[in-house]
Amino acid sequence: MTTNRTITQLLKTGDWLDAVLDDPDGEPDLEPIETANLRFEQPAIGVLMITPLTGYQQSIAISAGIHGNETAPMELLSNIVADILSAQLEVHSRLLLIIGHPPAAVAGRRFMDVNLNRLFSGAHKDHVDCYETRRAIDLERIMRGFFQNQGKRFHYDLHTAIRSSNYEKFAISPFGQKLDPAKLGLLANCGIEAVLESHQPATTFSFFSHAAFLATAFTFELGRVAPFGQNQLNLSALQQHLALRIADLPEPASAAPPAVFKVVHELIKSSEQYRLNVDDATPNFAQFKPNTLIEIDGLKQYRTSHQEERIVFPNPNVPIGQRTGLMIEKTYKKTFDFHAQ
Ligand code: ZN
């Protein structure tokens, strides 16, 4: 396709994130634009698909800002686009870059009506129509089109957290995904120190990509949340990994693999009397001695029983029946397998 427009006109300013946040409810420019070797398409506002015209072996989706206040990953994505436009970064993979929730990003909010990362794999059907349900439907449709090709598939869903963490950078591996040495090496190269294996299907974006398309998919938690322009996270390892993967170049062998954790107990708010015996400032991966009282509900209680039991995502402020946290422990076998390769 030849047009007189330039990529800068497509992205309006050349700064993709700026352009998206400038008009978060606008209409996407659906007409593709081609440079000498790349095709750019915008299937929705905040979604950029880049296809190498010379062919590719793998498809890589990178999403950021699924929670609108998690700014650092959106800045990282925008830097990747800038590097592609200035030809500092060569693209030899098909790319789908997603700013997850532009209106929430503009408002500095995690979400407007519903948590977008609880609406995938069709869960949007269980909610009344709102921006997030429509966005989940759009993103599922776009991902379906993007991942229809053969070849290796990857999905990096990038987040930051409100809570501090004893492992600053960690990942969640969707239920059903086997953590082989290649995946542990990928995480290590991204600077990930710990990975939690999910114990059940979820309605998250990364679970959707793994379950529906068998993509290598992870939710990445990259450190503490901060407003735009105030991020001080060191994402250089992740940025370098993504640059090599996008260019489809081999990576140097990774250093230490991340610690692998599995769920040993799900904490559930079972009644109004329910109490989570963990204080608000408790970081993710906080470790407890055996026999520590963690939750209590009348006569029913849960005490730690494993040698090195830890907690992630503690939050007592949920409706009855919902999860107040996960108790986890380290698994050693996976790390041993990694070194054996
Ligand atoms: Zn998030």
Side-chain angles (χ1 to χ4, degrees), residues 57-255:
Q57 305 293 323
Q58 55 186 13
S59 299
I60 305 170
I62 312 171
S63 50
I66 289 292
H67 296 130
N69 60 337
E70 298 175 6
T71 59
M74 291 189 261
E75 293 174 343
L76 175 86
L77 265 197
S78 203
N79 290 341
I80 288 174
V81 173
D83 286 350
I84 291 171
L85 293 180
S86 64
Q88 283 181 60
L89 176 52
E90 284 203 34
V91 181
H92 293 291
S93 308
R94 194 173 186 222
L95 278 186
L96 187 69
L97 307 176
I98 299 170
I99 302 290
H101 198 322
V106 170
R109 290 172 60 171
R110 185 171 166 80
F111 53 82
M112 306 308 272
D113 294 310
V114 199
N115 181 349
L116 177 57
N117 210 23
R118 298 285 176 273
L119 296 181
F120 292 95
S121 298
H124 46 77
K125 292 192 208 80
D126 303 333
H127 292 268
V128 292
D129 173 72
C130 61
Y131 178 86
E132 285 90 0
T133 58
R134 293 192 292 274
R135 187 68 167 169
I137 290 166
D138 276 354
L139 293 180
E140 285 190 358
R141 176 180 45 78
I142 292 165
M143 292 291 264
R144 204 167 285 124
F146 179 69
F147 278 136
Q148 73 187 350
N149 295 44
Q150 295 301 309
K152 284 184 281 182
R153 304 175 181 123
F154 298 90
H155 179 196
Y156 301 77
D157 186 30
L158 310 180
H159 292 250
T160 53
I162 301 160
R163 188 171 293 277
S164 66
S165 176
N166 286 349
Y167 291 99
E168 192 204 29
K169 293 182 173 60
F170 63 98
I172 300 151
S173 181
F175 178 73
Q177 175 166 263
K178 189 171 161 12
L179 285 178
D180 57 20
K183 292 189 182 72
L184 291 172
L186 180 159
L187 293 173
N189 282 332
C190 293
I192 293 296
E193 303 151 61
V195 54
L196 173 63
E197 292 187 289
S198 292
H199 65 306
Q200 60 186 25
T203 50
T204 59
F205 203 11
S206 65
F207 175 79
F208 170 69
S209 297
H210 179 71
F213 313 112
L214 289 177
T216 294
F218 294 100
T219 304
F220 288 80
E221 293 287 352
L222 299 169
R224 294 293 289 275
V225 74
F228 282 118
Q230 293 177 35
N231 286 299
Q232 304 201 338
L233 304 179
N234 180 357
L235 303 179
S236 56
L238 174 65
Q239 193 153 4
Q240 193 176 0
H241 165 83
L242 291 174
L244 289 172
R245 181 130 288 175
I246 289 167
D248 203 0
L249 291 170
E251 272 189 299
S254 51

Side-chain angles (χ1 to χ4, degrees), residues 3 5-7 10 31-35 38-41:
T3 74
R5 299 182 311 154
T6 64
I7 297 302
L10 175 73
E31 203 162 320
I33 284 189
E34 286 183 6
T35 62
L38 296 173
R39 182 167 67 242
F40 290 76
E41 292 162 89

